[in-house]
């Protein structure tokens, strides 16, 4: 087989068969090499579970070799690819953290700065998805400092993107835009798309457009937000990379739809993600989009069906350790209960959301939580409590210059005063 398929590129096409033969023959170095190639090929085809199986088996074989610089370099490459495969499924598993943490340790041991930046960036996104925003910000900041020293354009795009993403989750919209803008300014789809996919498994440049659209909307620049959203969606569809498209559909599509209250568009984008996530094997994205579909259904008159979807998908996400956007979706669920006159359930859900905010420091939706809390208090006749919550929402939104959220709390307070 090796003779028939002369070039390395050709051998990659039969890497699975070659890996099997060399494993059966007990030829360790060849088995590791072709298992790694099989894992990379599986990732190119968005078959991430298969990739993890091949990469995990390669690491098992590698463990049988004596320590050496060559072995350490092989392990570093395998661990980075393993982390990327888990990241590409949007599943913040213990295996993903282990892979990136081990890669970081090997980079420090070997003095591999460029690969250290990749490991730190992976840990930043892992902790963001896991709901450890401050820890994620620390990793993102460390990666950016190193990327500036190396001055590699691809690593800078990804480092700025990672920091911008985490800052968005923290509700620091202006700071997030500074970093997302740096990614966008440096980014050219033709020049950077393929290298970014090889390094991180997602096109951080295209994703930066989506997060920037969300920041613009929160800051009150509605027309600019919608223009940026269309740029992001058009670019992601043109690139035709499954993980990047799902990421952009979620943020430029669903999250903005949710903030705008556009239920038909939210359902449409969520259904598109559900289909892609099911086909490509993205369990994290599947649960996220199922929750978003449930939210859309609650606005379209199918409240019970929507609540059931939201509750089951939220439970599934928490079980797999995925907590990003949890306060936001709990807030949407509480608002649904309130519209249905189920105030006790609304208050219990809001309590869950506030606990999640304090645990994760995810403050993107905090002003809205105060507003919905005010609505709940007003429902039970506590006008003074409602007013205090609306004012807290206004004050928090002002502290972040988030005019969209400030406007909503202000309108709620104005209605209360009018009454």
């Amino acid at each position: 087989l090796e003779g028939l398929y002369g070039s390395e590129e050709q051998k990659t096409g039969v890497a699975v068969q070659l890996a099997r033969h060399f494993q059966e023959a007990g030829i360790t170095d060849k088995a590791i090499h072709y298992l790694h190639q099989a894992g990379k090929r599986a990732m190119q085809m968005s078959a991430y579970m298969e990739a993890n199986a091949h990469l995990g088996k390669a690491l098992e074989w590698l463990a049988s070799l004596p320590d050496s610089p060559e072995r350490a370099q092989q392990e570093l490459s395998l661990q980075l690819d393993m982390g990327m495969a888990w990241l590409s499924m949007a599943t913040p598993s213990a295996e993903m953290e282990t892979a990136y943490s081990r890669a970081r340790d090997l980079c420090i041991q070997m003095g591999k700065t460029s690969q250290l930046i990749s490991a730190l960036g992976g840990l930043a996104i892992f902790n963001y998805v896991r709901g450890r925003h401050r820890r994620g910000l620390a990793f993102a900041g460390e990666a950016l400092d190193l990327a500036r020293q190396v001055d590699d354009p691809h690593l800078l795009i990804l480092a700025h993107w990672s920091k911008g993403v985490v800052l968005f989750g923290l509700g620091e919209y202006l700071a997030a835009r500074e970093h997302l803008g740096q990614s966008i300014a440096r980014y050219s789809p033709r020049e950077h798309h393929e290298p970014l996919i090889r390094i991180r498994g997602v096109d951080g440049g295209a994703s930066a457009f989506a997060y920037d659209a969300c920041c613009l909307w929160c800051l009150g620049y509605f027309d600019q937000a919608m223009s940026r959203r269309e740029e992001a969606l058009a670019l992601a569809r043109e690139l035709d990379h499954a993980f990047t498209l799902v990421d952009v559909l979620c943020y430029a599509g669903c999250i903005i739809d949710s903030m705008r209250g556009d239920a038909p568009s939210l359902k449409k984008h969520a259904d598109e993600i559900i289909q892609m996530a099911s086909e490509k094997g993205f369990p994290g994205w599947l649960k996220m989009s199922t929750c978003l579909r449930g939210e859309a259904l609650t606005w379209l008159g199918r409240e019970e069906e929507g609540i059931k979807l939201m509750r089951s998908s939220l439970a599934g996400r928490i079980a797999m350790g995925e907590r990003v956007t949890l306060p936001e979706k709990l807030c949407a669920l509480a608002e649904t209960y309130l519209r249905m006159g189920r105030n006790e359930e609304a208050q219990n859900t809001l309590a869950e959301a506030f606990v999640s905010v304090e645990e994760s420091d995810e403050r993107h939706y905090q002003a809205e939580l105060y507003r919905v809390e005010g609505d709940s208090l007003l429902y039970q006749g506590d006008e003074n409590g409602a007013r205090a919550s609306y004012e807290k929402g206004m004050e928090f939104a002002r502290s972040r210059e988030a005019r969209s959220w400030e406007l909503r709390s202000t309108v709620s307070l104005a209605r209360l005063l009018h009454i």
Side-chain angles (χ1 to χ4, degrees):
L1 278 173
E2 279 192 306
L4 285 169
Y5 295 88
S7 70
E8 282 301 311
E9 185 177 352
Q10 289 175 319
K11 287 188 180 74
T12 300
V14 291
V16 174
Q17 296 97 306
L18 286 166
R20 185 178 69 251
H21 286 302
F22 284 115
Q23 286 179 86
E24 291 295 329
I27 302 175
T28 304
D29 58 340
K30 294 273 192 177
I32 294 168
H33 174 75
Y34 286 113
L35 282 165
H36 197 174
Q37 293 303 310
K40 287 184 173 183
R41 179 168 173 77
M43 280 197 286
Q44 290 171 358
M45 299 170 67
S46 299
Y48 298 108
M49 288 299 291
E50 181 183 339
N52 276 326
H54 293 312
L55 296 169
K57 182 61 72 175
L59 284 166
E60 288 177 19
W61 278 80
L62 189 67
S64 67
L65 296 180
D67 286 338
S68 69
E70 293 76 17
R71 179 190 181 282
Q73 180 57 56
Q74 277 187 298
E75 184 185 355
L76 172 57
S77 182
L78 284 164
Q79 296 286 11
L80 284 172
D81 284 339
M82 176 76 87
M84 190 192 307
W86 281 108
L87 178 63
S88 297
M89 292 190 292
T91 306
S93 66
E95 292 89 345
M96 177 180 166
E97 184 175 29
T98 297
Y100 277 128
S101 295
R102 177 59 179 159
R104 178 194 57 186
D105 293 344
L106 286 167
C107 287
I108 294 170
Q109 174 187 321
M110 300 166 65
K112 300 286 186 177
T113 304
S114 295
Q115 289 164 306
L116 177 57
I117 295 166
S118 295
L120 291 168
L123 286 167
I125 297 301
F126 169 84
N127 282 283
Y128 166 72
V129 177
R130 194 81 167 183
R132 304 169 186 166
H133 286 51
R134 289 294 170 189
R135 191 173 179 186
L137 186 64
F139 282 123
E142 194 176 345
L144 181 56
D145 289 343
L146 289 171
R148 284 172 172 150
Q149 293 175 26
V150 173
D151 199 28
D152 178 287
H154 306 108
L155 294 174
L156 278 167
I157 288 169
L158 288 169
H160 279 293
W161 167 73
S162 297
K163 192 162 185 180
V165 165
V166 180
L167 285 166
F168 167 74
L170 289 164
E172 300 284 353
Y173 306 118
L174 290 172
R177 286 210 70 215
E178 287 182 20
H179 291 286
L180 296 168
Q182 288 289 332
S183 287
I184 291 167
R186 288 177 162 83
Y187 174 73
S188 163
R190 179 174 298 178
E191 184 179 352
H192 300 124
H193 172 66
E194 291 299 332
L196 294 179
I197 297 301
R198 285 197 300 272
I199 296 168
R200 185 60 55 78
V202 61
D203 190 319
S207 181
F209 281 86
Y211 280 90
D212 192 47
C214 292
C215 290
L216 283 164
W217 194 92
C218 296
L219 291 165
Y221 301 108
F222 302 120
D223 291 343
Q224 291 180 49
M226 296 308 289
S227 176
R228 183 67 93 193
R229 157 194 169 108
E230 294 308 316
E231 281 184 90
L233 290 168
L235 175 59
R237 293 190 191 284
E238 182 182 338
L239 293 172
D240 194 27
H241 178 255
F243 185 89
T244 301
L245 178 55
V246 168
D247 181 42
V248 171
L249 278 168
C250 181
Y251 284 89
C254 292
I255 297 300
I256 289 183
D257 291 332
S258 175
M259 293 190 296
R260 294 176 68 228
D262 187 343
S265 183
L266 175 57
K267 182 177 180 299
K268 173 188 166 187
H269 285 130
D271 285 344
E272 186 174 356
I273 298 172
I274 287 169
Q275 181 177 348
M276 288 186 64
S278 300
E279 291 174 355
K280 298 295 184 180
F282 300 153
W285 286 120
L286 182 58
K287 291 189 185 302
M288 168 83 88
S289 53
T290 301
C291 183
L292 290 161
R293 185 178 197 275
E295 181 183 350
L297 294 180
T298 66
W299 285 104
L300 294 169
R302 297 160 62 180
E303 290 90 351
E304 292 295 349
E305 183 183 354
I307 288 171
K308 185 176 180 180
L309 277 180
M310 290 184 77
R311 274 296 183 195
S312 63
S313 60
L314 285 172
R317 291 180 63 203
I318 291 169
M320 69 165 58
E322 183 186 344
R323 292 178 174 270
V324 66
T325 75
L326 184 58
E328 177 181 344
K329 295 306 117 189
L330 286 170
C331 184
L333 188 57
E335 200 165 15
T336 300
Y337 284 134
L338 199 55
R339 288 197 306 271
M340 298 173 72
R342 294 158 61 174
N343 192 43
E344 184 177 350
E345 288 167 285
Q347 289 183 330
N348 291 337
T349 306
L350 284 168
E352 284 184 70
F354 279 116
V355 168
S356 180
V357 167
E358 295 309 314
E359 288 178 345
S360 67
D361 220 6
E362 182 173 324
R363 303 192 181 272
H364 157 53
Y365 231 65
Q366 188 162 341
E368 275 292 88
L369 283 169
Y370 288 133
R371 182 187 66 79
V372 177
E373 179 186 55
D375 289 348
S376 176
L377 291 167
L378 186 60
Y379 181 89
Q380 65 187 40
D382 184 357
E383 293 188 6
N384 290 332
R387 178 171 182 167
S389 290
Y390 294 146
E391 287 174 345
K392 280 194 288 187
M394 292 163 58
E395 182 181 349
F396 184 85
R398 285 193 194 114
S399 73
R400 307 301 173 102
E401 297 189 35
R403 295 179 182 86
S404 294
W405 303 140
E406 182 184 358
L407 177 60
R408 286 192 175 175
S409 291
T410 302
V411 168
S412 294
L413 178 58
R415 286 175 179 153
L416 170 59
L417 296 174
H418 178 68
I419 292 169

